[in-house]
Amino acid sequence: MRKLAAGNWKMNGTAAALDEVRSLLAAHPAAGCEMLLCPPATLVAGMAAVAKGSALAVGGQDCHPKASGAHTGDISALMLKDAGASHVILGHSERRADHGETDALVRAKAEATLAAGLVAVVCIGETEAERDAGQTLAVIGGQLDGSLPAGATAANLVIAYEPVWAIGTGRTPTLAEIAEVHAFLRNRLRGLIGDAADGVRLLYGGSVKPSNAAEIFAVPHVDGALVGGASLKAADFGAIVAALSA
Ligand code: PEP
């Protein structure tokens, strides 16, 4: 299995930020892992042009479950593909919180992503209150069951475990907590899609940075990272790529 270093730029970046991508590619022309950056939709085509012929894949951060239609302000997986994307992040906790996205909606979006021939990066994770209440595995197990697209395979699905309380806070679970969740997810996924589960990349996300990347990547069943803040700077994301490639 090839490990995956994925970056989520969220609502950050204008065309000038593509210089960071040029710097990243100059420093890591042939990374030992897959690299993916998901900029705002306005930058997908521009980033894809910069990344053309390189080891960097480009993705969207959300899509509509339909391919086209009267849905003002939305964007479809087909449109993202047309702009040069190969992946789409679905069900990020910020979308679940800001836009009330349910597991069923995330699943529909993920299925639209697969139908367009793109890879779905499905995000799940517990809140701090849920962890404190001892509900972590029940919550993420339910999210995985409810968000998993029909037709998922090792090639078209990536799962990102992102504890909500670790996103953008500088706080991370202990390595033992990450290990517990990732082993649980691998097992749960086996029950859902059989042996294909062993090839699905399970990313950890939440305050990954150059200083903690190597220890997190050493945890069993951690097959890469989904990185927010640290993906905006070529030097930081490049250091995480290097840690994953080691
Ligand atoms: C994210 O938003 O997916 C994320 C993990 O953010 P950060 O790395 O900034 O915590």
Side-chain angles (χ1 to χ4, degrees), residues 8 10 92 94 162 166-168 205-208 226-229:
N8 171 15
K10 310 192 184 189
H92 190 281
E94 287 153 14
E162 300 207 305
I167 293 178
S207 297
V208 176
L226 180 54
V227 183

Side-chain angles (χ1 to χ4, degrees), residues 191-215:
L192 294 165
I193 60 169
D195 289 347
D198 291 338
V200 173
R201 270 81 60 88
L202 303 180
L203 310 184
Y204 167 77
S207 297
V208 176
K209 44 192 183 228
S211 59
N212 63 14
E215 62 180 21

Side-chain angles (χ1 to χ4, degrees), residues 5-12 36-39 61 89 92 94 123 160 162 166-169 203-210 212 225-234 236-237 240:
N8 171 15
W9 279 17
K10 310 192 184 189
M11 197 173 71
N12 294 294
L36 166 69
L37 282 176
C38 301
Q61 299 175 9
I89 297 173
H92 190 281
E94 287 153 14
C123 302
E162 300 207 305
I167 293 178
T169 60
L203 310 184
Y204 167 77
S207 297
V208 176
K209 44 192 183 228
N212 63 14
L226 180 54
V227 183
S231 72
L232 292 167
K233 290 279 158 233
D236 288 348
F237 193 62
I240 292 167

